[in-house]
Amino acid sequence: MNRKTAIDRIRERSTPWDMLIIGGGASGAGVAVDAAARGLEVLLVEQHDFGKGTSSRSTKLVHGGVRYLRQGNIPLVMEALRERGILRNNAPHLVHDLPFVVPNYDWWEAPFYGIGMKVYDGLAGKYGFGKSKLLSREETIERLPTIEQEGLRGGVVYHDGQFDDTRLLIHLLRTAVEQGGTVANYLRVTGLLKGGDGFVRGATAADAWSGEEFNLDAKVVINCTGVFTDDVRRMDDSAVATMVRPSQGIHIVLPRRFHPGDAAIMVPHTDDGRVLFAVPWHDRVLVGTTDTPVDEPSLEPVPLAEELHFVMRHAARYLSEDPTPADVLSVFAGLRPLVSSGDEGDTAAVSRDHTLQVSRSGLVTLTGGKWTTYRKMAEDAVDHAAPLAGIDPPPSPTRELQIHGYHLNSERLGHLAVHGYDALEIQALGAADPSLAKPLHPDLPITSAEVVWAVREEMAMTVEDVLSRRTRSLLLGAAASIEIAPQVTRIMADEMELGPDWEAAQLKAYVSVAGGYLYPGSVGEL
Ligand SMILES: Cc1cc2nc3c(=O)[nH]c(=O)nc-3n(C[C@H](O)[C@H](O)[C@H](O)COP(=O)(O)OP(=O)(O)OC[C@H]3O[C@@H](n4cnc5c(N)ncnc54)[C@H](O)[C@@H]3O)c2cc1C
């Protein structure tokens, strides 16, 4: 995965790509893997960095969706549970079984959630994770040592999957490249190209670094732009009705002492009737989320004061120590691309979860869904798009396709476990030059070797790419990540042979973005 190689390939291309994918999040990366694995010549372009949109901002769960079970949406839950199992088989270094405990404070909760979770186990069938069971009050406290004990009667434990969203994203993109695909970040689609027959035949794109403009000819174009879906649909037809309405969800990140247990906490009914999670992740605790409609899509959504109060209030209600703003290590917001409606007459709605639409001019739009179901979404999209390109591809092989990094015992690789087999090469960088193996900050699991690796092998172009998405430093400690930004900038500048102007601009840009991840009011001296 090398940007220069990708841009050279794009520049030298004289025949149309079989498929052009716009958007480098879960949906786009999934389509790139599926199409490339079926032998198609595929190009994926992302306007910013891979995962800058929603796909880096999830709750990090690979789950069937207990919420959908409560709504009685059984087919959706079954599809997600199946995908959960497939993903764990194909990326065991990234997806692992996590117990979730629903603490019970009312008499009816144990039978109600106990039966519900048995149904959840049953729906997973052969793709099941661990079995659910009822817990006594003592067992609940053993699993959740810091749970609020006043009025606690017991709990129900069930199992779901957990992952690192951007690590999976990067590994999917690497898989796509290994299958012959081409991917490039910082290449923004600015318009669509149409043939004399009015069919979409590619797109124009601009390189954010060089300013160079490209005509990307393609037999079919797939719009995987999340909350920006309608912007691209309007490049095709300025009169189309709005299809996607963004809904914001935020998380706070707390030190592990707030919830040192190995199980996650699942609160099935918050004040606004939603579910809330407190999930152990990379030795921190993620607490969220919210559901707030917003008007405009944005690449850097901002948590609202009422969302912060809501999450802090619920954290205080369920944890024995009430977190204060000073305890919050990071705050991040993401936008769900919720599908409100589509144009009638030209759609192919394949699943109740995600939406696949083909416009009259042949633009394919894939949106909605969730991280967990990205593989199935991608398979559906390629099945529908390939005939539009005049291609009759073989069936998707992705149910059994190992994802880059595949490693069965990665837990023994320490904090590098999520890198799977790449961890050995990162360790080798540190062995060859011990200065690279030292942690950059006492509170963050990041070494210089990971920075070098991200630049050399994973198309990291900016300090933010490294600190937010190649490593998770920004989410694990926004203030600490700002402290190490100068060192990271230095290492990157050396590696990329860039000068002091680049360094100064990068540092400024990073401090500005990372400031938005500090709990408001705890900003302090930057
Ligand atoms: C708060 C929250 C929590 C969630 N938690 C979970 C969870 O725990 N588990 C789960 O399964 N799912 C979860 N989801 C859902 C999941 O994160 C999303 O469904 C998924 O990430 C959407 O991916 P996407 O590729 O469709 O969109 P995105 O990730 O937003 O990708 C779209 C990309 O298109 C790019 N783009 C836009 N316009 C252009 C252009 N003109 N040219 C080039 N590129 C362009 C954008 O920059 C962006 O990177 C959560 C969502 C939210 C908001």
Side-chain angles (χ1 to χ4, degrees), residues 21-195:
I21 300 159
I22 313 174
S27 309
V31 176
V33 170
D34 192 285
R38 296 201 215 189
L40 272 64
E41 292 189 312
V42 59
L43 169 64
L44 177 149
V45 296
E46 160 58 47
Q47 64 175 347
H48 193 278
D49 184 33
F50 306 119
K52 172 73 177 180
T54 308
S55 297
S56 58
R57 300 158 187 276
S58 76
T59 313
K60 331 294 180 202
L61 303 181
V62 181
H63 59 162
V66 172
R67 188 160 59 102
Y68 301 111
L69 184 66
R70 204 169 60 194
Q71 293 165 356
N73 197 339
I74 302 295
L76 183 56
V77 177
M78 283 181 79
E79 178 174 289
L81 288 171
R82 188 174 55 241
E83 290 303 317
R84 181 187 75 166
I86 292 172
L87 186 53
R88 186 176 60 166
N89 288 346
N90 293 335
H93 61 299
L94 278 172
V95 178
H96 62 91
D97 183 331
L98 184 69
F100 287 69
V101 175
V102 184
N104 299 159
Y105 294 90
D106 272 316
W107 67 266
W108 55 268
E109 288 180 307
F112 183 77
Y113 294 115
I115 292 169
M117 294 316 173
K118 284 287 168 221
V119 173
Y120 197 64
D121 291 349
L123 291 176
K126 68 171 179 162
Y127 293 109
F129 281 29
K131 290 246 172 295
S132 66
K133 70 177 185 113
L134 295 180
L135 301 178
S136 66
R137 179 183 149 88
E138 290 65 37
E139 287 169 326
T140 305
I141 294 169
E142 206 175 293
R143 297 243 178 173
L144 311 177
T146 53
I147 192 72
E148 182 56 64
Q149 294 184 18
E150 202 185 318
L152 182 73
R153 302 173 74 100
V156 179
V157 62
Y158 72 97
H159 293 254
D160 244 326
Q162 184 186 40
F163 76 131
D164 182 322
D165 47 18
T166 53
R167 188 43 44 201
L168 176 59
L169 183 69
I170 296 300
H171 284 184
L172 283 173
L173 292 161
R174 295 200 70 171
T175 308
V177 171
E178 284 155 9
Q179 296 288 329
T182 304
V183 304
N185 52 6
Y186 296 100
L187 203 56
R188 176 179 159 74
V189 163
T190 49
L192 295 176
L193 299 169
K194 290 193 177 177

Side-chain angles (χ1 to χ4, degrees), residues 452-472:
V452 170
W453 178 260
V455 171
R456 284 189 198 163
E457 307 290 340
E458 298 181 339
M459 229 186 257
M461 302 295 292
T462 71
V463 173
E464 184 200 328
D465 298 350
V466 169
L467 287 175
S468 176
R469 292 170 294 275
R470 302 304 182 283
T471 73
R472 307 318 300 270

